Amino acid sequence: MTENAFIHRFEPATRAGSPPLLLLHGTGGDENDLLGLGSMISAGSALLSPRGPVLEHGMPRFFRRLTEGVFDEDDVRRRAQELGDFVSEARQRYGIAAPVAVGFSNGANIAAALLLLKPDVLAGAVLLRAMVPLSDPPRADLAGKPVLLLSGQGDPIVPAGNSARLAALLSQAGASVTHRVLPAGHQLSQADVTLARDWIGNIDAEAA
């Protein structure tokens, strides 16, 4: 799948040195959904926002699932490879560095899969309401790669043990993981925005 095969939006950076963001929407979203969030958490960053290529009852997603919370893992692997290729080609086309993924729900899950399957594609990730994407993930080298995982205490979709397992999995692969459990459900809250903005600001400062 070529870069042009993904419907997407790209907004160039308006502030030098800001990390580019790869925005990955949740089920039923599209390439416009997270542009506002991206601007709020990292003003001036280049924003690369693809639409998930899989349709579930007409709703875009980044990979197939069998039932809620049960993923088609062969499809997860294939779609993560395709997304990685898209990012690599988009980087050349738009002249951006490796992005920090900002994914919500289904988008966070494909971002987690991308970290495990093609770790060089991303500079880091903000995973909002993510689950473990693969039951038997490959051994990945995420040495020092920053990851922010924000979970909802009352999330009816993501069990607390699942998000904790994802944090442990990424940490064991060497990522520098910050995992916060917020008094929220599956939807995002102002706390998510504030924490993500502060976290990106910190990694931006460290990179500078």
Side-chain angles (χ1 to χ4, degrees), residues 60-75:
R61 285 174 53 84
F62 286 97
F63 59 83
R64 293 179 60 237
R65 59 182 171 184
L66 306 177
T67 61
E68 189 168 287
V70 181
F71 304 152
D72 180 338
E73 295 196 13
D74 288 340
D75 198 55

Side-chain angles (χ1 to χ4, degrees), residues 1-6 53 78-79 82-83 85-86 89:
M1 178 176 284
T2 65
E3 178 258 335
N4 285 327
F6 274 82
R78 180 165 69 92
R79 300 295 180 177
E82 290 176 354
L83 182 60
D85 291 344
F86 160 75
E89 292 175 22

Side-chain angles (χ1 to χ4, degrees), residues 7-90:
I7 297 169
H8 67 280
R9 289 275 304 272
F10 177 74
E11 296 194 356
T14 58
R15 184 168 64 91
S18 303
L21 303 184
L22 172 67
L23 304 174
L24 302 168
H25 63 77
T27 300
D30 64 20
E31 66 278 11
N32 301 302
D33 262 29
L34 298 185
L35 293 174
L37 176 66
S39 296
M40 282 191 286
I41 65 177
S42 187
S45 282
L47 304 177
L48 177 63
S49 185
R51 182 189 300 182
V54 175
L55 290 179
E56 181 183 274
H57 307 301
M59 298 183 295
R61 285 174 53 84
F62 286 97
F63 59 83
R64 293 179 60 237
R65 59 182 171 184
L66 306 177
T67 61
E68 189 168 287
V70 181
F71 304 152
D72 180 338
E73 295 196 13
D74 288 340
D75 198 55
V76 171
R77 292 173 184 273
R78 180 165 69 92
R79 300 295 180 177
Q81 293 292 333
E82 290 176 354
L83 182 60
D85 291 344
F86 160 75
V87 173
S88 296
E89 292 175 22

